[in-house]
Amino acid sequence: MSARISSLAAAVAPTPEVAVAVSLGASAHYRERLQQSADAAIERVRSAEYQVERASDATRSAKRDQSAVEKLIVRAQADAALRELRALEDAPSVRKIRHDPC
């Protein structure tokens, strides 16, 4: 887009020929408008790059948060399993005496 704007600016640039003041004024006006368009295009590109960077940062942050939550869940499940094992170890043994019919 910048190359297109530059070529348009070159097309309306004053030529070495003798020109009328009105056409010089018109050329200056169009060159100014083209420069404004080029500046606006550059600013839009900067804005888009900034938005992409913000989105990338948000994505990385979300992935870190998800990973941390998954690790906490796994740790909680492991702790719960250990508690259950300890509870089973600490439980008194139950031994039933079975009498078979004779």
Side-chain angles (χ1 to χ4, degrees):
M1 179 162 219
S2 185
R4 175 74 176 137
I5 291 172
S6 296
S7 66
L8 288 172
V12 295
T15 57
E17 301 173 4
V18 177
V20 180
V22 173
S23 73
L24 284 176
S27 294
H29 171 74
Y30 288 120
R31 285 180 62 93
E32 177 64 26
R33 294 295 306 258
L34 287 170
Q35 185 61 42
Q36 289 173 359
S37 295
D39 292 342
I42 290 170
E43 187 57 36
R44 284 192 300 272
V45 168
R46 283 187 194 138
S47 176
E49 288 171 348
Y50 175 73
Q51 294 295 332
V52 166
E53 186 62 33
R54 280 186 52 207
S56 298
D57 289 343
T59 301
R60 282 191 293 274
S61 176
K63 285 182 181 178
R64 279 193 304 270
D65 292 347
Q66 180 180 1
S67 176
V69 167
E70 288 173 353
K71 287 178 183 177
L72 289 173
I73 289 171
V74 168
R75 187 180 302 159
Q77 290 172 343
D79 289 344
L82 284 175
R83 278 194 303 274
E84 289 178 20
L85 284 175
R86 287 189 186 120
L88 288 174
E89 289 173 353
D90 294 340
S93 64
V94 178
R95 183 174 173 212
K96 280 188 168 182
I97 299 176
R98 300 182 72 190
H99 295 283
D100 291 330
C102 297

